[in-house]
Amino acid sequence: MPIRYPPASLRAQPDSLCDQDQFAMNNDSTPAVSTSEDQPAATRVQLNPTVNPETDKPVPQYAVASAAAVTEPATESAEPFIAPAPRVPIVPIEVPRDKDSPLEADLEAEIAAAMSGVTGLSDGSDASTATATEATEAANAAQEDELEEGTKLKGKVQSVFGDTVIVDVGFRASGVVPTRQFEGKPLPEPGTQLDVVVEKYNSDEGLIHLNLPRQTVSKPAGNWDAVSVDQIVDCMVVKTNKGGLEVTISSLRGFMPAGQVDIGFVSGLEQFVGQKLRVKIIEVNAKKRNLVVSRKAFLEVDRAERQVELWKTLEVGQRRVGTVKTLKDYGAFVDIGGVDGMIHIGEMSWSRINKPSDILSVGQQVEVQILTLDAEKGKVGLGMRQLLADPWQTIVEKYPASALVHGKVTKTTEFGAFVEIEPGIEGMVHISELDHRRVHRVSDVLKVGDEKDFQIVSVDAEKKRIALSLKRLTAAPEAAAPKKSDLDLSPSGGAIYERKRKEPLKGGGTGSGGLLFGGSK
């Protein structure tokens, strides 16, 4: 069994160098080396110490119950072994709260208020809150169904999505206002308060369709306190000046800039002098006596209101009377009472036209038919030729094959020419039907504007095609005599040469005594 010694910290330690020597001698069988008075004593290092089993015995590291079980070595300098104190268990101590503290009282009150009405903490449910929410939703749903057209509400703009402004009007369902009703002014920012009017409630979509309220005309008194910005009033045009019109509102003098007289450009302002106009006040400054009005702003808002009402009545196939506003190369834009529609150039007439200005002019009143409607994009497709009879319905009986017709060339191409034989009816002459001879260019035979007679080759009413011919009106020329070859032009007339003499040829003699060519013996 190995010998265990107490820790060095528990052993008795010498107080001086002499005690160290004495301590080393007591624990080592080898006697210490004596030191002289001149040389101080030094501790001798024991490289291989020996142990006396009689005196040096092991002692336990910690104290035991019986002190007799351990025998301490009897030494005069050794101090008695002191066992470490036993460990004391750590026990949490509860600090008493001061129940009279005002802070604790406030916290208790807040906790009590927050926990009031909570009955199901285990699953995180709040029965009273859920019941109240269901009751509120049911009440809102009932209120939404009871909304009538024309009900005025106040709402806050939530967002602008596409062509719709989403408005919170205090119901479970959101309200929507078309962006086209804000024509002429910027779209509202989120958080803007709006006055709106209910159009209808769509339970399938869960949306309340809204409109902006119509403007009301006020009659202000003759003082500056009675007028305000965005007010709709009637004014009288007094005269014109360099920048616009001078107007009067009651007894107040105002000014209308030239750019605010109408939505479009106005060339002459004298036509408005003496007229009573409905305008919108856009600037009021009582100190400087400035009162600025705009007829354009009123017309834009009024137009947006009329658009809302007009879209409710528009249907495909309706006939409307409109005013031509703008002409483009591809068609014309027509105002049909608050909504602009477009007539494509191909829907203006059954006959071919080069540009819309050939048959229309700006400001002209025209009757149109609605072809297409797109309320989301605000687009209306119109047509004019649908109001006229389709000439192709009786084309087969009117123009049979081989009939002779008179027409006018309207267009030439590389492969032929188009000929108008009556308004709305065109036929085509292929380049191979222009002449009996070979034609390299159509313009060599026909030019735009030429009027000639043509023969009908075929009619296809379904595809609206008529084939015409010009060369069939003239007789084909006689076939030319074949051209003579070089043999035909020779003296023999092209006949094969044949030798007439059958006997051998004769010759003359030669100097050597022979016979000549053709001679005889």
Side-chain angles (χ1 to χ4, degrees), residues 220-278:
N223 56 74
W224 289 96
D225 296 333
V227 292
S228 60
V229 177
D230 293 336
Q231 190 177 4
I232 305 299
V233 296
D234 290 333
C235 69
M236 181 64 68
V237 180
V238 179
K239 62 179 181 179
T240 64
N241 55 27
K242 185 177 180 180
L245 300 175
E246 293 186 10
V247 300
T248 57
I249 302 172
S250 296
S251 60
L252 302 177
R253 296 180 59 184
F255 173 70
M256 184 188 304
Q260 300 295 327
V261 175
D262 204 340
I263 296 178
F265 174 75
V266 179
S267 57
L269 299 179
E270 292 79 8
Q271 55 181 326
F272 297 98
V273 176
Q275 294 187 13
K276 186 178 182 180
L277 303 178
R278 185 158 294 177

Side-chain angles (χ1 to χ4, degrees), residues 94 136 187 193 209 233 235 241 252 292 316 333 390 414 485 499 507 520:
E94 182 178 0
T136 303
L187 294 177
Q193 298 289 338
H209 293 262
V233 296
C235 69
N241 55 27
L252 302 177
V292 183
V316 176
F333 290 92
D390 187 358
E414 295 180 357
S485 61
R499 183 182 178 188
S520 60

